[in-house]
Amino acid sequence: MDVEKINILLVEDDPGDCRLVKLALAKSRQPMEFAVETAENLAEALKRLDSRNFDMVLLDLLLPDSQGLKTVDQVCRLYPQIPVVVLTVLVDENMGVEAIKVGASDYLVKTEYSHELLLRTIRYSLERKRAQEDLRQAKEQAEKARNEVEQINTDLEASTERAKLLAHEAMAADRAKSEFLANMSHEIRTPLNGILGFSELLQQEELSDEQKEWVDTINRSGQSLLALIEDILDFSKIEAGRLDIEIIECSLEEILASVDSLLRPQATKKGLEFEIVPQGELPKTIRTDPARLRQCLINLVNNAIKFTEKGHVYVRVSVENAESSFIRFDVEDTGIGIGADEQEVIFDSFRQADGSSSRKYEGTGLGLAITKRLAEILGGEILVQSEPGKGSVFSLIIPSRIEDASEVAAEQDEWPGPEQSEVEAEYGQFTGLVLIAEDKSSNLKLIEQLLEKMGLEAIAVEDGQQAVDRATAESFDLILMDIQMPNMTGYEAVRILRGKQIKTPIIALTAYAMESDAQECLAAGFDGYISKPIHFGKLREIIAKYLSPAPIPT
């Protein structure tokens, strides 16, 4: 058994008492070995305690240089880690209690203790001190752990605050980006409204061939710029995850007819053969987002026409296989084709097969990137097969979500395309008085000219306050109101008018083109929404919805 060595400092000025203590310690049957050093006064004791480590102090209260409790107090205060047992001839219970209070472990009267009691007192005092030391260390560790937890919590709170700040900054940056895009769209669309609108009006006039070519060039350039704006806005919304998709039941025939009516004139003008070719039985209706599907097809067909100088552009439409719920659109052309290496980058944003400054074909490189992302959002994909000099086939494959596969259209060899009356919109005549609230003179003149051609009377004001004043003082059949105007915005004006129980249909005219702008217009009280630049056909649809046609002369 291992023997524990205990170093004891005996502070006692009586040699006889020193011998008695040492004899008592020598009789110990505990696995302990006591090494005892003596000091005859307090000064010598303090020197010994400074010079070496002791496990215990046996302290007499009556020393030559120190008397009573101050002796105990001084030793316990200077060396709190060492247990102190008082050995004294003073039989005073109150003194013993006071000694314990100032730090002593025990209080023994010399005439009353036996060697067993002394040994037991020493052992208990040592164990108690060790327990106190363990408790002290445990408390220190607990305090350290608490401090570490508090520091972790502090760091976590700081990290949370930083995360909140970063999130706030990201949201602010996102809002700033959205506001920038909205403002950019507004600022570009406003002059475009005049360019496209007046060029369309000029196209209806008697012009020389040279003048007609100039006007057509102006209109095409404006349309190209408008398409670029739409691409940038769509790309931004896709990147931000804010592109709205509405899956509804829609007519496949109507979607293909709209693509045909829009792009056939371009193909015909280049001398290309253009056909939409159904292959096998096709469903009458599919469930998808018709606007986004139409956008994908227009992008693919428009690219095929742009990169094809001679030959054909075919759109082959088929169901993937007999048991598939996917429908496939293969846009085939006999154009310049794409090399294998270039096929890997054409779907990247702002990338083209020919990205050099001397390239023949213009474009930003966003069309295919947007189309690919739209196809994925619709649950489908785009594939490409191409060979330089021989043409390309871009395949758009999307789920048709057909619940009843038996509801299919009759098989046909070729797509008939729209009737001529559907392609060529006529002005038409209406009756009614229209209030126009528009602060831009070019836009105002354009709208007045378009309304005049439809046989309508119009009164114009320049801001929202004037619109409120006229609409509450006079009766109008329709109000066309710009959103961004001085003095009072269109939003403020429409809320006031609805508050005054004005039931006249009010249509928002704005150069803002984000989806949220349309929702905000409807929430504010507008009945409809026209995005600038204003096309005659869009305006005519609104007029036809709210105003009566003029009587046909007999």
Side-chain angles (χ1 to χ4, degrees), residues 231-425:
D231 280 350
I232 292 173
L233 289 176
D234 277 346
F235 180 75
S236 174
K237 287 186 282 188
I238 289 172
E239 288 293 293
R242 293 181 176 178
L243 188 71
D244 294 321
I245 295 293
E246 183 182 13
I247 303 298
I248 61 174
E249 187 171 304
C250 50
S251 167
L252 176 60
E253 180 178 348
E254 289 181 4
I255 293 172
L256 294 175
S258 66
V259 173
D260 187 288
S261 65
L262 180 66
L263 296 175
R264 180 179 293 276
Q266 294 183 28
T268 301
K269 187 173 182 179
K270 290 188 70 173
L272 302 176
E273 182 183 355
F274 178 74
E275 296 295 342
I276 295 179
V277 184
Q279 296 185 315
E281 294 183 337
L282 298 178
K284 294 178 181 178
T285 60
I286 59 176
R287 287 187 57 79
T288 188
D289 186 317
R292 298 306 175 186
L293 173 56
R294 188 181 295 110
Q295 184 177 355
C296 289
L297 292 174
I298 288 172
N299 282 347
L300 293 176
V301 175
N302 188 61
N303 267 2
I305 294 172
K306 179 169 68 172
F307 293 106
T308 303
E309 297 300 329
K310 60 180 180 179
H312 68 258
V313 173
Y314 294 153
V315 181
R316 304 185 189 276
V317 188
S318 61
V319 174
E320 263 289 75
N321 56 61
E323 299 179 356
S324 173
S325 62
F326 284 78
I327 192 162
R328 182 182 186 113
F329 304 87
D330 293 315
V331 180
E332 172 189 314
D333 67 61
T334 54
I336 60 175
I338 307 168
D341 294 340
E342 296 165 343
Q343 292 175 28
E344 298 179 2
V345 301
I346 57 174
F347 292 105
D348 294 341
S349 303
F350 306 105
R351 295 291 296 270
Q352 291 183 311
D354 179 10
S356 66
S357 59
S358 60
R359 68 184 189 272
K360 178 179 179 182
Y361 302 97
E362 298 178 350
T364 60
L366 281 177
L368 285 178
I370 292 172
T371 304
K372 182 176 185 293
R373 295 291 294 275
L374 288 177
E376 293 169 351
I377 292 172
L378 293 175
E381 63 178 341
I382 287 185
L383 307 175
V384 59
Q385 293 179 318
S386 186
E387 186 176 344
K390 293 187 177 180
S392 306
V393 178
F394 283 84
S395 299
L396 170 64
I397 305 170
I398 63 166
S400 62
R401 301 178 176 90
I402 307 169
E403 295 182 2
D404 186 357
S406 64
E407 293 186 4
V408 295
E411 184 174 351
Q412 49 193 11
D413 296 329
E414 63 179 33
W415 196 258
E419 296 294 330
Q420 187 69 12
S421 60
E422 295 177 330
V423 178
E424 298 177 358

Side-chain angles (χ1 to χ4, degrees), residues 115 147 158 190 236 246 252 316 411 476 495 501 542:
H115 73 276
N147 291 336
T190 297
S236 174
E246 183 182 13
L252 176 60
R316 304 185 189 276
E411 184 174 351
F476 293 91
R495 291 189 181 103
Q501 302 303 310
I542 292 292

Side-chain angles (χ1 to χ4, degrees), residues 378-484:
L378 293 175
E381 63 178 341
I382 287 185
L383 307 175
V384 59
Q385 293 179 318
S386 186
E387 186 176 344
K390 293 187 177 180
S392 306
V393 178
F394 283 84
S395 299
L396 170 64
I397 305 170
I398 63 166
S400 62
R401 301 178 176 90
I402 307 169
E403 295 182 2
D404 186 357
S406 64
E407 293 186 4
V408 295
E411 184 174 351
Q412 49 193 11
D413 296 329
E414 63 179 33
W415 196 258
E419 296 294 330
Q420 187 69 12
S421 60
E422 295 177 330
V423 178
E424 298 177 358
E426 298 177 358
Y427 278 109
Q429 297 293 296
F430 298 89
T431 59
L433 180 60
V434 180
L435 175 64
I436 309 169
E438 170 64 69
D439 62 312
K440 296 291 190 298
S441 60
S442 61
N443 291 339
L444 180 57
K445 291 178 181 178
L446 173 62
I447 297 170
E448 287 178 326
Q449 289 290 322
L450 293 175
L451 293 178
E452 182 182 335
K453 284 187 174 292
M454 287 185 278
L456 293 167
E457 297 180 54
I459 293 177
V461 294
E462 296 180 351
D463 61 44
Q465 183 59 60
Q466 294 177 14
V468 170
D469 295 341
R470 293 299 292 264
T472 52
E474 304 176 42
S475 178
F476 293 91
D477 299 295
L478 183 68
I479 300 174
L480 303 177
M481 185 177 296
D482 188 27
I483 294 298
Q484 192 177 58

Side-chain angles (χ1 to χ4, degrees), residues 458-523:
I459 293 177
V461 294
E462 296 180 351
D463 61 44
Q465 183 59 60
Q466 294 177 14
V468 170
D469 295 341
R470 293 299 292 264
T472 52
E474 304 176 42
S475 178
F476 293 91
D477 299 295
L478 183 68
I479 300 174
L480 303 177
M481 185 177 296
D482 188 27
I483 294 298
Q484 192 177 58
M485 294 183 291
N487 301 325
M488 181 185 292
T489 68
Y491 290 127
E492 295 170 324
V494 75
R495 291 189 181 103
I496 292 174
L497 290 174
R498 295 312 186 201
K500 292 178 178 292
Q501 302 303 310
I502 301 298
K503 303 298 185 182
T504 306
I506 307 176
I507 307 302
L509 304 175
T510 179
Y512 292 111
M514 307 294 277
E515 180 65 26
S516 57
D517 299 317
Q519 296 172 356
E520 187 175 359
C521 285
L522 297 177

